[in-house]
Amino acid sequence: MKSKKTVMILSFVVLLLISSILIYISRPKNQPEKEEEELIVANELAYDIVNNALQSMIVDPTKDPLLLATPQERFDQIDFEKRFFRPVFDTKVSLYVATLPQRPSTPANDRPSKQPLIFSPNASLYQQTAFIDSSTSPNRWFSIVKDPSITPAKYVWQVSVAPFAGAGKDLLNPGGLLSSGDVDATSTEFSIDFSKALNVTKLSGRLNISQDRLKSFYLIPTLKMGAVPVQKTYYVRVLPVDAEGKVIGDGGTGMAITYGDPYTLPTNNIIIGINQRFDMLTPRFQGEPGGSGEFPNSFNEVYQKTINSSYESLYYCFVPKNYPVTATSLVLQVTKTPFSGSLWNTVPGLVYQKRINAGEAAFDTLDEDHWLQVDFRSFAPANETLDDNQFITYYVRTVALTPTAQAGVMSAKYSKTVTIQYGRDTTTPVIYETIKVDPHIPEIVGFSYTPIQWEAANWQYHYEVIRQPLESEIFLGFGSKKPYEPYKVGTKLNFTPQPEDDSWWEEVKNAISDFFSDLTDYLAKITNWVSSTYENLKTGLVKLVADHLPLIPDEWREELAVVLQGLVDYGLASIGIPPTLPNFDELTSLGTDYLATVAMEAAGIPATDLMKDGMVELGNGIVENVGSASGHSTPNPMNWDFIKLDSDYLYRPAYVLITLHNPYDKPTPVGTLSGYNEYIIDSKDKSYSEEQLYARFGGNVYYSTFKVVSGQKVPSLAPGQTLVIPVFLEEMTGKSYWTNGPRVDQSSFKMIYFNLGDYEFNFTINYELPNAYETAKAQNPNAKKDAIYSYSTTGNSVGFKGYPNDAYEWHK
């Protein structure tokens, strides 16, 4: 039996012959002298028939209903149960993670929970998202709920620096893998020690890049007191494996885990007010609390105390009281200046800090018999260095941290402040100079938001010409060697099967219909095409580094080539470009300079003029290689090598472009980008759509159209460099707003995306900054040590209010 492709090609090859013969044999028999002339005429007629048929496939974009359809009309035509774009993977296990370091009392289950993070310090529950606070225990428990239909021989857990490819080959050794481990098939729970799992040894061996280089790029730096918090996002998944070592089902993209120090919601100190702060008890005198007799050193609520620096015991004790019962951490802080600013972790003048966490003895037993103790010797000047009448005022408080609904973000409540005068006398206070430090972070000079382009109905039938063919290619040897004029580059073609007729063209149309009839087979061809295109791109980028880029010194070429391959393997996915999109080249072109800068930074190339100039050179090279790799034809019914799927009919995710500029003569610090959008229903005044959603989602009033963005890399910018950072957004279709909650189906998302109203869009960049004094010293080696330093800013943000389906643009 002939294949469908063979039928198509043979049908098309004989078209002219059939047409010519039919016309020729139907000629009048009494004029043999005109046979040659009539044969020519027959050929011309056949040519016209085929030419007309070929031109009938050309689409006028100004008149095509699919291109003229509104976004909502295109959305309504999609069958989300059979969608090729943003596929739902056939994973055979569900993975849950504990909200706190303690092992939950019961394994995971499928009961809904409306809180993505638990709010009680005394109970750890399994959820489907988590923030792992690096200041607490690095151990975290996970729970597996398997599909009853499978019987695995074991499970394999994996931790990666980027989202996993959801399916395909090499699931057990994916790109970006940091660590993995086995779990017994009978187990429903296991734990991961992230202090060991976040290890670049395996990745270093795979990429042949030094561990130090990879640590600086992928792992959390060691932070000193007063530094700006740093978070990074990793991905965890579990694979069920059969007795032959094969993965059962798809692997899935993994669970996003945020790891690092918590960010804190900014707090307005004026709004809080002294009366809303919780209590801080201190003993009457310095030294050991307790005792008996007439003057025991008992705790009280007096907030002005003294420490005589000539005494042997220079410690004071503190007991916070009446702090929020939902707090999971307490942080005791001492500064040389009154507390100010909206962020507790970068408070000016910080000299001492101690944190205790739920589950630790110091936290769980905290009372007037178990206190927090601060030894002032560790930061205060020695007694002999102070004049007889000098004293230093220190300010002490406790910060109570409570998880919020956003992973990695905590709310902070403050205690009342205890003032302690340190010295032998309290006559002359020591006054410290206060200095603001410019952290030299880049400025945001532009921002734009582009909404989703939904795929058109029957998108698979629509192609565009990417190379103008010759007539001989179109007519399979019967035409001339001149270009076929109707099929210019960019011409849109429609292979949608048309109503039946009795012409010979019906044979070709039937063959076209056959080509698309097996949708699974067709989508597999498209998927294989994308996969081979990725491989071609990797090969091209390696050759680019080896043969071109004269501005890149030889010492960095090898590592840069390896980094670029990793960029294709998992870097595109980490910025939100799914590895299955046939139009990934179009999306990649939006951020080639960004990808080039990130790649050069990962390869160790410093953020200097070399990087800035090399970025342009490498960015252009990436554009050319992406175009070259994806410039070959996609599978099509005519087996033509000069057409590919038309991107105007394909799905394209929503995205934002954030433009940064470095106005300084020094490189900027690296950072991470996060973002979200949100709509809050007024439960007292709801529209029809709001009423429907409120009922469907159990009284939920918080809605977003896209998954939260977290942990996207912001590279260091060279002096004078301007860089556009693309952020691709993944819509909430098929996802839940809370663990095991109802999934957002097509009809719900239609209301959420099109019908609710203005959303708040917010994108924030947090930079990796040491404490303010270290930055001041780096900028000026003669910076005073005995001064109080604070940053003028530690990050920047941008946002807007608008409909998710409307574009937005802003420029400074």
Side-chain angles (χ1 to χ4, degrees):
M1 176 180 284
K2 295 183 176 67
S3 68
K4 294 176 183 177
K5 182 180 290 186
T6 304
V7 171
M8 284 183 285
I9 295 174
L10 289 177
S11 298
F12 200 73
V13 166
V14 300
L15 287 181
L16 287 174
L17 290 174
I18 294 172
S19 301
S20 299
I21 292 170
L22 288 174
I23 294 172
Y24 181 67
I25 63 175
S26 64
R27 77 190 192 290
K29 304 299 182 181
N30 58 351
Q31 297 178 339
E33 68 278 1
K34 295 185 177 181
E35 288 183 3
E36 184 176 346
E37 179 183 342
E38 290 171 348
L39 183 58
I40 294 173
V41 171
N43 284 334
E44 290 176 349
L45 288 173
Y47 178 94
D48 289 341
I49 292 172
V50 176
N51 184 50
N52 291 336
L54 291 170
Q55 292 193 47
S56 71
M57 294 191 296
I58 295 176
V59 175
D60 181 350
T62 65
K63 298 179 180 179
D64 185 2
L66 292 179
L67 295 180
L68 298 177
T70 66
Q72 186 166 327
E73 289 170 340
R74 286 176 73 152
F75 177 90
D76 289 339
Q77 295 298 314
I78 300 171
D79 183 352
F80 276 73
E81 297 300 318
K82 301 176 182 178
R83 201 174 174 218
F84 173 70
F85 306 99
R86 298 289 189 192
V88 177
F89 296 106
D90 183 23
T91 55
K92 298 301 183 182
V93 295
S94 297
L95 184 64
Y96 297 81
V97 58
T99 55
L100 294 173
Q102 295 78 33
R103 184 177 186 173
S105 57
T106 57
N109 55 58
D110 57 2
R111 290 194 300 271
S113 169
K114 291 186 181 181
Q115 296 170 343
L117 287 179
I118 191 64
F119 284 77
S120 169
N122 300 316
S124 179
L125 297 181
Y126 281 119
Q127 303 281 299
Q128 289 176 313
T129 181
F131 165 67
I132 298 177
D133 192 335
S134 58
S135 301
T136 64
S137 169
N139 286 299
R140 192 55 61 106
W141 282 91
F142 292 82
S143 185
I144 302 169
V145 176
K146 77 176 184 69
D147 188 309
S149 66
I150 67 169
T151 306
K154 67 174 182 178
Y155 298 102
V156 175
W157 62 261
Q158 297 175 323
V159 179
S160 172
V161 298
F164 297 95
K169 58 183 181 180
D170 211 15
L171 293 177
L172 292 171
N173 190 30
L177 183 67
L178 287 177
S179 57
S180 61
D182 290 351
V183 179
D184 189 88
T186 61
S187 299
T188 59
E189 294 175 288
F190 67 96
S191 65
I192 297 178
D193 182 346
F194 279 84
S195 66
K196 298 177 180 178
L198 299 181
N199 188 307
V200 296
T201 302
K202 183 175 293 188
L203 193 60
S204 175
R206 181 186 188 124
L207 299 179
N208 195 27
I209 295 179
S210 72
Q211 292 190 35
D212 288 342
R213 182 73 44 75
L214 292 175
K215 284 179 182 178
S216 66
F217 197 75
Y218 289 121
L219 303 187
I220 296 290
T222 301
L223 300 181
K224 294 184 179 179
M225 182 177 62
V228 174
V230 176
Q231 295 180 1
K232 292 187 184 294
T233 300
Y234 302 96
Y235 295 83
V236 180
R237 72 178 179 186
V238 164
L239 304 175
V241 179
D242 64 20
E244 296 179 356
K246 297 178 181 179
V247 176
I248 305 171
D250 294 334
T253 56
M255 169 195 293
I257 296 290
T258 305
Y259 182 86
D261 291 304
Y263 298 139
T264 309
L265 295 175
T267 303
N268 188 320
N269 290 294
I270 297 176
I271 292 177
I272 290 178
I274 188 67
N275 292 327
Q276 296 185 34
R277 298 178 187 272
F278 58 87
D279 299 324
M280 176 93 98
L281 306 185
T282 53
R284 297 173 62 193
F285 315 113
Q286 67 195 84
E288 184 87 5
S292 58
E294 187 176 356
F295 302 105
N297 194 17
S298 56
F299 284 92
N300 59 37
E301 291 187 45
V302 177
Y303 287 90
Q304 291 186 342
K305 299 294 172 73
T306 60
I307 291 181
N308 190 317
S309 58
S310 65
Y311 287 11
E312 182 177 352
S313 297
L314 295 181
Y315 62 88
Y316 229 100
C317 300
F318 304 88
V319 177
K321 298 283 285 187
N322 302 319
Y323 53 83
V325 296
T326 53
T328 57
S329 295
L330 295 173
V331 184
L332 185 71
Q333 293 183 313
V334 183
T335 65
K336 296 188 297 184
T337 186
F339 291 102
S340 62
S342 61
L343 299 176
W344 65 270
N345 33 26
T346 56
V347 65
L350 187 63
V351 295
Y352 176 89
Q353 183 168 284
K354 179 179 178 63
R355 178 173 175 176
I356 58 174
N357 306 292
E360 299 171 357
F363 184 100
D364 297 339
T365 63
L366 187 62
D367 57 26
E368 292 183 33
D369 295 317
H370 305 87
W371 52 79
L372 297 175
Q373 182 171 302
V374 178
D375 188 350
F376 280 70
R377 296 178 193 274
S378 63
F379 54 82
N383 175 60
E384 58 270 17
T385 64
L386 292 173
D387 294 339
D388 286 340
N389 62 346
Q390 274 190 322
F391 72 93
I392 299 172
T393 301
Y394 290 103
Y395 303 85
V396 187
R397 73 175 179 189
T398 299
V399 182
L401 300 177
T402 300
T404 68
Q406 184 176 344
V409 178
M410 306 188 90
S411 65
K413 299 293 184 182
Y414 302 138
S415 73
K416 298 171 185 176
T417 299
V418 176
T419 302
I420 295 182
Q421 294 180 340
Y422 174 90
R424 293 186 299 276
D425 196 355
T426 57
T427 306
T428 307
V430 175
I431 306 297
Y432 294 101
E433 182 182 0
T434 58
I435 300 173
K436 287 287 185 183
V437 179
D438 185 344
H440 292 177
I441 63 176
E443 57 182 347
I444 297 177
V445 296
F447 174 86
S448 67
Y449 165 76
T450 302
I452 301 168
Q453 174 180 289
W454 300 103
E455 63 266 31
N458 296 328
W459 56 266
Q460 66 269 27
Y461 295 110
H462 293 271
Y463 290 75
E464 65 176 334
V465 177
I466 57 175
R467 174 183 62 81
Q468 188 169 9
L470 301 177
E471 284 193 353
S472 57
E473 293 178 274
I474 290 286
F475 295 97
L476 299 177
F478 287 89
S480 69
K481 294 296 184 182
K482 67 180 182 181
Y484 181 57
E485 197 61 28
Y487 281 13
K488 292 184 173 65
V489 173
T491 300
K492 296 179 181 298
L493 303 178
N494 181 9
F495 286 93
T496 304
Q498 301 300 318
E500 294 186 3
D501 59 42
D502 296 326
S503 69
W504 54 261
W505 182 244
E506 184 67 27
E507 256 190 280
V508 175
K509 290 195 294 184
N510 288 340
I512 292 174
S513 297
D514 288 343
F515 179 84
F516 291 110
S517 63
D518 188 344
L519 185 60
T520 301
D521 180 63
Y522 172 72
L523 296 181
K525 292 175 183 176
I526 297 299
T527 301
N528 290 336
W529 178 87
V530 175
S531 179
S532 64
T533 299
Y534 268 60
E535 291 301 315
N536 292 339
L537 176 56
K538 286 196 292 185
T539 302
L541 290 175
V542 171
K543 185 173 177 59
L544 168 70
V545 175
D547 299 344
H548 303 286
L549 305 182
L551 295 178
I552 305 298
D554 290 342
E555 61 184 292
W556 285 304
R557 285 181 181 275
E558 184 175 345
E559 289 194 0
L560 180 58
V562 174
V563 168
L564 287 172
Q565 291 183 76
L567 180 150
V568 177
D569 278 336
Y570 48 85
L572 297 180
S574 69
I575 64 171
I577 300 179
T580 55
L581 293 186
N583 54 338
F584 83 92
D585 54 329
E586 176 187 339
L587 305 183
T588 303
S589 66
L590 294 171
T592 49
D593 287 350
Y594 167 75
L595 295 171
T597 302
V598 169
M600 288 192 289
E601 182 174 279
I605 301 173
T608 61
D609 286 342
L610 169 64
M611 175 180 281
K612 188 168 62 174
D613 296 337
M615 176 205 71
V616 176
E617 190 177 53
L618 179 56
N620 291 336
I622 292 175
V623 169
E624 292 174 4
N625 275 273
V626 169
S628 175
S630 62
H632 57 287
S633 62
T634 44
N636 63 83
M638 305 308 294
N639 203 32
W640 285 338
D641 66 357
F642 52 82
I643 62 173
K644 65 184 293 188
L645 285 168
D646 192 333
S647 61
D648 287 342
Y649 296 82
L650 300 180
Y651 163 81
R652 189 211 60 236
Y655 62 89
V656 300
L657 300 176
I658 301 175
T659 305
L660 301 179
H661 174 68
N662 178 8
Y664 304 100
D665 59 359
K666 302 291 185 187
T668 60
V670 300
T672 54
L673 185 149
S674 60
Y676 66 95
N677 74 344
E678 184 177 62
Y679 181 91
I680 303 176
I681 291 177
D682 183 350
S683 58
K684 297 180 181 179
D685 183 21
K686 298 188 287 293
S687 66
Y688 174 78
S689 292
E690 290 173 338
E691 287 279 10
Q692 293 291 307
L693 293 170
Y694 191 80
R696 288 187 192 183
F697 292 93
N700 180 47
V701 297
Y702 299 97
Y703 293 88
S704 55
T705 58
F706 307 108
K707 285 179 60 177
V708 171
V709 175
S710 64
Q712 183 166 333
K713 182 80 173 178
V714 176
S716 175
L717 271 64
Q721 181 180 355
T722 298
L723 185 65
V724 177
I725 298 180
V727 185
F728 296 96
L729 307 173
E730 182 178 353
E731 58 268 20
M732 288 293 294
T733 50
K735 300 172 179 62
S736 303
Y737 286 112
W738 60 79
T739 296
N740 293 330
R743 294 188 181 275
V744 179
D745 60 17
Q746 186 168 0
S747 61
S748 297
F749 191 77
K750 180 178 179 178
M751 288 187 281
I752 292 168
Y753 187 77
F754 292 104
N755 298 344
L756 283 187
D758 286 338
Y759 279 70
E760 292 282 354
F761 288 74
N762 292 286
F763 294 86
T764 301
I765 302 175
N766 291 287
Y767 293 92
E768 296 182 14
L769 299 170
N771 65 53
Y773 170 67
E774 290 186 23
T775 298
K777 189 174 181 181
Q779 295 175 3
N780 176 16
N782 298 318
K784 299 178 181 178
K785 186 172 183 179
D786 289 331
I788 296 172
Y789 294 91
S790 63
Y791 285 115
S792 57
T793 182
T794 58
N796 40 33
S797 60
V798 64
F800 71 100
K801 189 173 184 178
Y803 281 80
N805 192 44
D806 292 341
Y808 174 85
E809 189 168 2
W810 167 85
H811 295 283
K812 186 174 180 180

